[in-house]
Amino acid sequence: MNLRDSLKLYFVMGSQNCERSPVDVLEEALSGGVTMFQFREKGNRCLEGKPMMELALELQHVCQKYRVPFIINDDVELALKMGADGVHIGQEDESIGAVRKKLGDKILGISAHNVREAQLALESGADYLGVGPMFQTTTKNDCRPVQGPKVIESMRKMGIRLPVVGIGGIHSGNVHKVMEAGSDGVAVISAISKHPERTHTLFQGVQDSLLKSF
Ligand code: 3NM
């Protein structure tokens, strides 16, 4: 599968986002249609050290079973040590160029909140952009103001063709707005971590929007 296809339904999650076993949640999400996974162990109640590492390995194993890329949030050293498929970093993290060098041809995703950040990420060697917040979210404490799907539309108008996923407050009722703005897919935490049994509805929403755009 190419990267654009892998980004259709991107599940981002850490143990702090789950109401039951993260391994069970991921397994159910993958069988419901998730196409890429990011391990994001961050914020209140998150694991550290050995328990974090053990969980990361278990989740990587589940992704391998479903042949879905396993991405690590922020921690480049951990990603290299584990043989993860890639890393996702924010604007505040280590310089993008330096991370690109360390990763070689592994997947590098960057968070971008406006056209300027998208352009810089593109020039520094990003493989895809996570753009948000699309809508109001309570999952991330230090979230920027809502940008809305319009920011993806602006990026496309400015000629940015890099694969893009919208993130922030996305659920099956608003997924079409993100896709219609020119996104290749959506990245979600709570819509799946709290309701893994509803993953298929979200996946169907993405598919329907892609079919309509042809
Ligand atoms: N990044 P939910 S919003 C991790 O805007 C993250 O860059 C964001 O969680 C950004 O799907 C966000 O539960 C949280 O709203 C997404």
Side-chain angles (χ1 to χ4, degrees):
M1 212 189 267
N2 68 29
L3 182 60
R4 218 174 275 279
D5 287 334
S6 294
L7 288 167
K8 274 186 198 172
L9 184 53
Y10 191 3
F11 182 33
V12 179
M13 179 264 272
S15 63
Q16 74 283 348
N17 305 122
C18 296
E19 287 159 359
R20 54 190 171 89
S21 148
V23 174
D24 291 351
V25 168
L26 179 58
E27 181 99 41
E28 192 165 348
L30 289 166
S31 58
V34 158
T35 50
M36 183 142 138
F37 175 68
Q38 181 189 133
F39 180 55
R40 183 176 178 277
E41 195 64 29
K42 211 173 191 175
N44 286 346
R45 298 183 298 124
C46 72
L47 300 173
E48 288 174 10
K50 195 160 173 263
M52 181 274 286
M53 185 75 199
E54 282 168 358
L55 176 60
L57 286 167
E58 269 190 280
L59 297 176
Q60 181 183 34
H61 187 73
V62 182
C63 286
Q64 284 167 345
K65 196 166 91 182
Y66 285 82
R67 297 179 191 282
V68 158
F70 175 81
I71 308 295
I72 298 263
N73 182 271
D74 280 359
D75 195 337
V76 181
E77 311 308 326
L78 177 66
L80 291 171
K81 191 167 150 191
M82 289 181 64
D85 299 298
V87 170
H88 185 96
I89 57 172
Q91 292 287 326
E92 300 80 13
D93 302 320
E94 211 178 328
S95 108
I96 303 170
V99 174
R100 173 84 276 169
K101 271 199 189 135
K102 285 189 193 170
L103 283 183
D105 59 5
K106 287 184 188 291
I107 300 168
L108 174 57
I110 312 280
S111 299
H113 309 86
N114 52 50
V115 175
R116 199 186 128 269
E117 287 180 358
Q119 199 68 51
L120 284 174
L122 173 70
E123 285 160 15
S124 315
D127 291 309
Y128 76 86
L129 303 172
V131 180
M134 291 290 103
F135 309 103
Q136 205 66 50
T137 176
T138 51
T139 309
K140 191 172 188 252
N141 299 331
D142 56 345
C143 231
R144 307 261 191 117
V146 171
Q147 305 295 317
K150 267 198 175 326
V151 69
I152 297 181
E153 235 173 87
S154 312
M155 288 174 186
R156 294 312 193 201
K157 274 191 194 136
M158 294 302 287
I160 294 169
R161 293 207 161 81
L162 207 61
V164 163
V165 277
I167 186 164
I170 299 171
H171 52 72
S172 53
N174 60 20
V175 65
H176 64 282
K177 294 184 184 168
V178 181
M179 297 304 293
E180 282 160 15
S183 198
D184 295 289
V186 292
V188 302
I189 299 182
S190 53
I192 294 182
S193 71
K194 296 217 162 76
H195 299 286
E197 73 286 357
R198 296 186 199 159
T199 305
H200 188 71
T201 316
L202 206 48
F203 182 74
Q204 204 52 55
V206 175
Q207 290 288 70
D208 290 349
S209 300
L210 285 170
L211 284 175
K212 263 195 214 156
S213 70
F214 273 111

